Amino acid sequence: MKLSRIMIVVSLSLAFMLSGCGGNGGGDNQQQTEAKQETESGLSAFEQEHGIGPVTETISLGDEIDMEMAQKGKEIFDLKCTACHKLNERYIGPAMNGVLERRSPTYVMNMILNPDGMVKNHPEAQKMLQEYNMSPMPNQGLTQEEARAIVEFIASDLTLNNGS
């Protein structure tokens, strides 16, 4: 009986000591947690950077914007996107100016083409959903060509000259 009490006391003491170990109270725990979330997300490195959707190759804008495509993108943006997005200010969704500095053109296209899948499976899209009061982006049924035209528009000087 006396031996079992000693074993219980020793076991409890050991458990308390071990629970107090681990972590230095600094930012390392947060970094470890973020790294663990990335690996647990099940996304490839490509999907982490460029999103989840039909665009599976890196899109590069090149040195010069295709102004004809950008004009088409402006028309699509004005028709399909302005209910939630403004170019120079936060609205229901994020402002579009500067989005290509924060996200790759491929990510933006995948967000346009697969908003449901992005919000469901991509950690950055999930953060954006929370930041914008749980207002999910609707799927507008656009083609890859139309999504690319919107990206060209966002990258063009037309963006800077539009007061939307």
Side-chain angles (χ1 to χ4, degrees), residues 67-116:
M67 292 308 288
E68 187 176 321
M69 186 180 280
Q71 183 60 45
K72 180 180 176 185
K74 180 184 184 323
E75 293 167 10
I76 297 166
F77 184 89
D78 288 346
L79 182 66
K80 300 273 189 170
C81 307
T82 55
C84 297
H85 294 282
K86 301 296 178 196
L87 293 171
N88 297 309
E89 66 183 85
R90 177 186 172 125
Y91 193 50
I92 295 169
M96 292 292 95
N97 274 344
V99 72
L100 293 173
E101 294 168 13
R102 298 184 303 272
R103 305 280 184 250
S104 73
T106 308
Y107 181 100
V108 174
M109 287 180 65
N110 277 326
M111 189 67 198
I112 291 169
L113 297 169
N114 184 31
D116 298 330

Side-chain angles (χ1 to χ4, degrees), residues 3 7 12 55-56 63 67 87 97 102 117 124 128 130 138 143 145 157 164:
L3 183 59
M7 291 299 286
L12 287 174
V55 184
T56 57
D63 293 333
M67 292 308 288
L87 293 171
N97 274 344
R102 298 184 303 272
E124 289 302 315
M128 293 295 288
Q130 290 177 2
T143 66
E145 183 180 315
D157 287 335
S164 293

Side-chain angles (χ1 to χ4, degrees), residues 51-67:
I52 304 162
V55 184
T56 57
E57 294 181 9
T58 303
I59 300 297
S60 175
L61 292 176
D63 293 333
E64 292 197 23
I65 300 299
D66 180 334
M67 292 308 288

